[in-house]
Structure formats: structure tokens, C-alpha cells
Amino acid sequence: MNIIDDASTLAQTVRQAVAATKATDIHTHLFPPSHGSLLLWGLDELLTYHYLVAELFGAAPSELTHEKFWALDKKQQAELIWRQLFLDHSPLSEARQGVLTVLTALGLDPARRDLNAWRAWFSRQKVEDYLDRVLELANIDYLIMTNNPLLEAEVQHWLNNRPCPKRLRTALRIDSLLLNFAGSRAQLSRQGFSSVDAELTAKTLETLRRWLAGWIDRLHPLYMAASLGPDWTYPNAGETTQLLDHVVCPLAAERNLPVALMLGVRKAVIPALGDAGDAEGRSDIASLMRLCAQHPQTKFLATVLDRADQHELAVAGRKLRNLHIFGCWWFCNTPSIIEEVTRMRLELLGTNFTLQHSDARVLDQLIYKWLHTRRIAADVLAEKYLDAHAAGWRFSAAEIHRDIRRLFGGAFEEFLAK
Ligand code: RAT
Ligand code: ZN
């Protein structure tokens, strides 16, 4: 074994390993190119990312109403965001800096401030080749999409067996089923499941299990997923508990698929903002722990949106073998919080968690989300390895690579295989 004896070689090896190790991106909102306009990419999509739309209204004059903004076409929206969030106010926020990182990585100098030149460059890209280029720049082996079997626009592509590159894997998104079962009945009936009553009778639960199993057979997802609000508790007398207990968890156990819970989103607080209108709140981690304990044969993945919940979640991750903690989600995907949360998780969980997912909605965002995470992870990890070195331990480069791959997807894959 090639042991590293001096501290500066150790720090350098850690930094190189963080840069070189392929990551698995376990949660995105990307789609295969064959799904047409569902796959967002390019400059105007980057600029109209909902994280930036949310920032726009804080910066823009009050004459800009939500209605006026949505009445613009995508190009005009992008130009407005560019003017307000980059030219009239400096790009210091994480979402704005992300755009700069993407441009630079693609060789498009942000200092030129030339939207039209960049648009011309993007218009020359062929999406299939561009997808490969982005995955290389982000250094990702494969990514996991979010596939909603209750959304007509998505469903059609799967029913028509459109091709999907191997590096894009599926996850079955079931929020609408868990939170708005009644509202899902029309779509279920279009899919041939018309015998679903308005009440969750035993027959309905059985039908829903068959429906979900059918989608598992069609999509071969790596997990099922839902985001839940701060008001979510478990158990209770409501439909979400019944659906978890009698449909989702038993089926997940039977198929050996984890259930991913993303906790703490307060949906549509400002409805006129669309995706940008969601906020966050504290989650009930004790409910998550009860759910894991109630379904010991079911595996759960979890992430939380509130910074203060991160510690309680990490502690829960130490206790429950069927719970795997992942990513710095959405409002937590900012450098200061990634740094704090990653350090805390390393201290409580060792390498037994998944350090990050991108949540990319626009293909190009994979580049910045992963570059920024790697920059922060390199600092935090170098510090932790140096601490162990100072305490007398000696590492080999192979051990460092092993550990970092675990954090970047290896632990997730082990958890799937359990
Ligand atoms: O991060 C986001 O883009 C959010 O809008 C949500 O999509 C969130 O990540 C989710 O998956 O619910
Ligand atoms: Zn997401």
C-alpha cells in the first residue's frame, strides 16, 4: 500500500481525488433528448431558471408585475433577468454565479456581456452531443431524472417508448398520488384505472398498488420519490399515511426500491411565481424516524430543506439502517450551507451519506452545481483528512479515492443494493 506521509501531499491528493472522481447525480429534473421540449438547455433557459425568477422581483422596479413578466416570451424574460440581475445589480448570489461558471466552463467569456454572441453559440450545439459534453464537464457517470407518471406531457413519451440514453436513469415521482389522491383520479382513469373510488377502500388501495407496479415495470426506476411539507406528520388518520402504509412502502419493500422523501417544502406560497413561488419550513424528523421504524423492510432516502433540520436529520441517519441521507437541497444548495452541512455530516456519519445532488432543471446547470460542490467538498475533505493525519493515521491514495467515490454516489449504490 502506497502510504502518504506528508501533509501537503495528502491535501493535494484529496483535492485531486475530489476533482477526478465521477459523481452520480441522484436527483435532477432533466429528461432524455427524445422527450423534446421537456429537456431544458441553453442560455435563455439558464437565465429563466426559477431560482433567478425569484430573485428578479426583489431587484426589479415595482412596475414589473408577475403578470407582465409571464406575458413576455422566454427570450424577453431572459433579457430582463440579465439586465436586472447581472447588469443593474451584480451577480453575487449562488444562482447568478452559476450562470457565470457555466459560461466560463464552456469557453464563453462572461466578461464580454454579450447575450447574442452566446445565443449564437448555443444555437450551433446539437443536443445529443451537448448532453455528453455537459456530463463530461460535470464529471458525472449518470444522473437520475424525476419522472412523474401522473403528468400527461411526460407519460406520453414513456408510453411511446422514446429512447433514453443509458446515462439518464429514472425515479418515479409520486407527490401527486400521496398528496392529492383525489386529483389524480382523472389521469388514473385515462391510464385505464377507472375503478379507483374517491375513498381509499381496500379495493382502491389494491388498484393503486397495481398501477404503481405497472410504472415500476415500465420505467425501472432507481427509487420512488415525493416532497412533503412542514405539516407532514406520520402516522395520522389522513390519506398520505394510508397510501404510504398500504401502497408505497410495501411495494417499495417488495421491489427493493427506496422511497426518497424530500422534506420541508411549502408549496405555492406565492402562486403567481410558479415554481419560484415555493418557500420552506421546519420538518418533523420524528415522523420520518417513526416511518422508518414502522417499515423496517423499506429503505428510505431523505433530505431536508431547512438548515436547522439538518442536524436532527443527520442524527436520525446514525440510528436507522434503512435511512440514507442525501444532498443539500434547493435553498440549502448554497456554498455556505453545503460547507456547513457537509462538515457536520462527515463528523456524524463518516462517509455514509451522499454528499450532493444537483436538482438541475436545465442541462447546463450540471456544470456549475457540480463544480461549485466540488470546490467546497475539496476544502472540507482536505481539512478532515488532515485532522486524521495529525492524529496519527496514514492514508493511501486508493483509500482516499474509495472514500470520495462513496460520498459521490458509491454509498447510494451500496444502499440500493442492500
Ligand atoms: O429545486 C427545485 O428546482 C425545486 O423546484 C423542486 O423541483 C424540488 O427540487 C423538488 O424536486 O421538488
Ligand atoms: Zn428537485
Side-chain angles (χ1 to χ4, degrees), residues 291-311:
L291 179 68
C292 293
Q294 178 66 30
H295 294 278
Q297 304 308 325
T298 305
K299 294 182 285 191
F300 296 89
L301 298 158
T303 194
V304 286
L305 205 42
D306 189 275
R307 174 171 170 258
D309 285 336
Q310 296 288 356
H311 183 251

Side-chain angles (χ1 to χ4, degrees), residues 41-46 75 103 106 108 114-130 133 364:
W41 64 285
L43 186 66
D44 291 334
E45 298 295 352
L46 277 172
K75 208 169 151 212
L103 291 170
L106 292 170
L108 306 169
D114 189 346
L115 285 195
N116 287 331
W118 299 332
R119 279 193 178 122
W121 184 89
F122 278 102
S123 70
R124 291 194 295 275
Q125 310 309 309
K126 216 176 135 251
V127 65
E128 289 79 6
D129 302 337
Y130 187 60
R133 173 146 186 219
D364 330 48

Side-chain angles (χ1 to χ4, degrees), residues 27-29 146 173 262 329 357 359 361:
H27 171 58
T28 75
H29 295 267
T146 295
R173 187 73 180 233
M262 308 169 76
W329 181 30
H357 66 273
D359 235 309
R361 281 179 180 263

Side-chain angles (χ1 to χ4, degrees), residues 42-58:
L43 186 66
D44 291 334
E45 298 295 352
L46 277 172
L47 286 171
T48 53
Y49 185 30
H50 73 83
Y51 292 24
L52 290 172
V53 171
E55 289 174 34
L56 170 68
F57 290 95

Side-chain angles (χ1 to χ4, degrees), residues 55-227:
E55 289 174 34
L56 170 68
F57 290 95
S62 47
E63 298 86 75
L64 180 74
T65 60
H66 299 139
E67 294 70 26
K68 278 189 196 157
F69 176 76
W70 294 119
L72 301 174
D73 65 28
K74 172 111 346 175
K75 208 169 151 212
Q76 292 168 323
Q77 291 173 353
E79 276 158 13
L80 184 60
I81 289 178
W82 174 251
R83 194 167 65 244
Q84 285 295 334
L85 297 185
F86 291 80
L87 303 180
D88 291 355
H89 302 85
S90 292
L92 302 183
S93 73
E94 174 61 6
R96 288 180 235 186
Q97 295 202 356
V99 177
L100 309 181
T101 299
V102 172
L103 291 170
T104 298
L106 292 170
L108 306 169
D109 179 6
R112 284 183 60 196
R113 304 186 177 201
D114 189 346
L115 285 195
N116 287 331
W118 299 332
R119 279 193 178 122
W121 184 89
F122 278 102
S123 70
R124 291 194 295 275
Q125 310 309 309
K126 216 176 135 251
V127 65
E128 289 79 6
D129 302 337
Y130 187 60
L131 171 67
D132 288 338
R133 173 146 186 219
V134 169
L135 293 177
E136 289 322 303
L137 284 170
N139 202 12
I140 289 171
D141 52 2
Y142 62 93
L143 60 83
I144 303 179
M145 305 176 280
T146 295
N147 307 101
N148 187 335
L150 287 166
L151 271 189
E152 186 65 25
E154 294 189 27
V155 163
Q156 285 316 317
H157 293 293
W158 295 110
L159 296 182
N160 288 315
N161 291 318
R162 301 249 196 274
C164 183
K166 285 205 169 47
R167 294 168 83 183
L168 271 55
R169 311 285 299 272
T170 52
L172 205 48
R173 187 73 180 233
I174 53 170
D175 300 38
S176 345
L177 175 71
L178 282 182
L179 299 173
N180 184 13
F181 151 71
S184 310
R185 287 173 64 227
Q187 177 61 244
L188 289 167
S189 148
R190 274 197 291 282
Q191 293 180 25
F193 291 80
S194 47
S195 63
V196 177
D197 305 324
E199 304 294 310
L200 282 179
T201 57
K203 185 169 139 257
T204 295
L205 291 168
E206 158 57 24
T207 308
L208 290 174
R209 266 198 303 273
R210 264 195 302 117
W211 170 78
L212 204 51
W215 277 102
I216 292 173
D217 292 338
R218 181 175 284 279
L219 291 191
H220 305 292
L222 295 187
Y223 58 83
M224 292 188 259
S227 66

